Amino acid sequence: MTTTETATDLVLTERRDGVLTITINRPGQKNAVNRETALQLAAALDQLDEDPALSVGVLTGAGGTFSAGMDLKAFAKGETPILPGRGFGGITQAVVRKPLIAAVEGWALGGGFEMALACDVIVAAGTAKFGLTEVKRGLIAGEGGVIRLPQRLPYHIAMRVLLTGEPITAAEANRHGLISQLTVDGGALAGAQELARHITVNAPLALAKIKQVLREVQGLNDAEAFKVQTETAHSLLSTEDAHEGAVAFAEKRAPVWRGR
C-alpha cells in the first residue's frame, strides 16, 4: 500500500493503490472554480491518464461542498475557468481515458454540477443537492448541463431542473438513476474510494476501452456501433493483459496487469 499527497494550493492530489483522489481545495469559496483552479484540475487529470500506476480518479471538494461552480468574482475581473478544448474546470469537455468518479457532499451547482456530470460515476451523500441555476442569470448550462442532464434523467425531470433553475435532491436524483451510490453525510469520498478499489482490480486497458467505445458509438445505429465495438474489442485480444487474464484464471490467482 502506498500513499503520497501533494498540495498545489487550489487542488490537492492523493495517490493510493492505483486511485488518484483530486480535491478542489477552496472551501472558503465553496470550491468555486477560477482559472488557476481549472488549470490545476486539468493537470491532475493529465496525471491520471499519463501515469500507468493509476487506474481510477476520484473528484471531490474540500470542506463539505463539491463545488459552487464558477467563481463569479474572478469572472467579473476578466478570468474564465473554461479552458480551450477542455471546458469548464478543465473537465467538462475533456477526453479522460480512465474512469472518473465524482464524490459529492453538499452543493454541486452550475459548473460544479456539470463537472459531476462529466464524470463516469456519481457517489453522493444523502443531503447533497444538484442545481443548474444559469437560467436565473439569463444564461444556459452550456458546459454539459443542457446536453448531458436529459441523457441521465428522464426528459421531463431534466427539463424541470433546467427551466426552473431549482435544485434536485440526492434522493430524487438517486431514484431516477443519476447517482450510482448514496452514502451517509460525510461518507461520499470513502464510498467513492471504495468503489474505485473495486474498479482497480480490473485490466486498465479494458477500462479505458469501455470509455472509448461509449464515446465513439454516441449517435450511431446498431450496425455502426457494433462495428466500432468489434474493432476495439479485437484490439485487446493481442495485449499482454488479455493473455495475463487467461493465465491467471487458469492458475487460480489474481492477475498482474501491465497496462499493455
Side-chain angles (χ1 to χ4, degrees):
M1 180 183 298
T2 59
T3 304
T4 61
E5 183 173 311
T6 58
T8 54
D9 279 340
L10 307 181
V11 173
L12 304 176
T13 59
E14 180 187 16
R15 302 160 52 98
R16 185 182 180 91
D17 299 334
V19 179
L20 182 69
T21 299
I22 304 167
T23 304
I24 306 170
N25 188 39
R26 305 187 74 206
Q29 294 77 34
K30 302 296 183 184
N31 297 319
V33 179
N34 60 8
R35 185 168 183 81
E36 181 57 30
T37 305
L39 291 169
Q40 293 183 19
L41 283 170
L45 292 178
D46 287 345
Q47 179 185 351
L48 171 65
D49 267 354
E50 293 168 4
D51 190 334
L54 296 171
S55 295
V56 184
V58 173
L59 177 66
T60 194
T65 298
F66 184 73
S67 174
M70 181 185 292
D71 185 331
L72 295 178
K73 292 181 179 179
F75 181 71
K77 297 177 181 178
E79 285 189 26
T80 175
I82 300 173
L83 305 184
R86 305 192 67 138
F88 182 88
I91 296 176
T92 56
Q93 297 179 46
V95 176
V96 182
R97 291 192 309 106
K98 297 179 182 178
L100 187 61
I101 303 172
V104 180
E105 297 277 352
W107 288 94
L109 288 176
F113 190 5
E114 290 173 309
M115 289 192 295
L117 287 171
C119 295
D120 303 297
V121 178
I122 298 177
V123 175
T127 55
K129 292 185 179 180
F130 303 82
L132 295 169
T133 59
E134 286 85 349
V135 70
K136 294 179 178 289
R137 303 291 179 263
L139 303 170
I140 68 170
E143 283 299 316
V146 172
I147 295 171
R148 292 187 172 120
L149 195 62
Q151 297 172 347
R152 315 293 169 77
L153 289 175
Y155 176 84
H156 295 100
I157 303 298
M159 287 299 283
R160 187 196 79 206
V161 174
L162 289 164
L163 295 177
T164 66
E166 299 298 328
I168 184 172
T169 66
E172 183 179 6
N174 184 58
R175 286 199 304 273
H176 295 298
L178 178 67
I179 294 172
S180 304
Q181 180 180 331
L182 273 182
T183 73
V184 298
D185 290 352
L189 180 56
Q193 290 172 330
E194 177 63 22
L195 179 59
R197 285 190 285 273
H198 284 281
I199 296 173
T200 59
V201 301
N202 298 315
L205 285 179
L207 295 174
K209 290 298 185 181
I210 288 171
K211 290 193 63 172
Q212 179 183 334
V213 170
L214 287 174
R215 284 195 304 269
E216 293 181 353
V217 301
Q218 295 297 315
L220 300 183
N221 61 39
D222 281 357
E224 293 169 331
F226 270 104
K227 182 180 179 181
V228 170
Q229 179 181 262
T230 298
E231 292 173 351
T232 301
H234 283 180
S235 72
L236 290 170
L237 294 176
S238 60
T239 63
E240 292 182 28
D241 278 357
H243 177 72
E244 167 64 10
V247 171
F249 177 80
E251 296 178 351
K252 298 181 180 180
R253 61 172 174 81
V256 180
W257 306 119
R258 303 297 184 188
R260 56 180 186 263

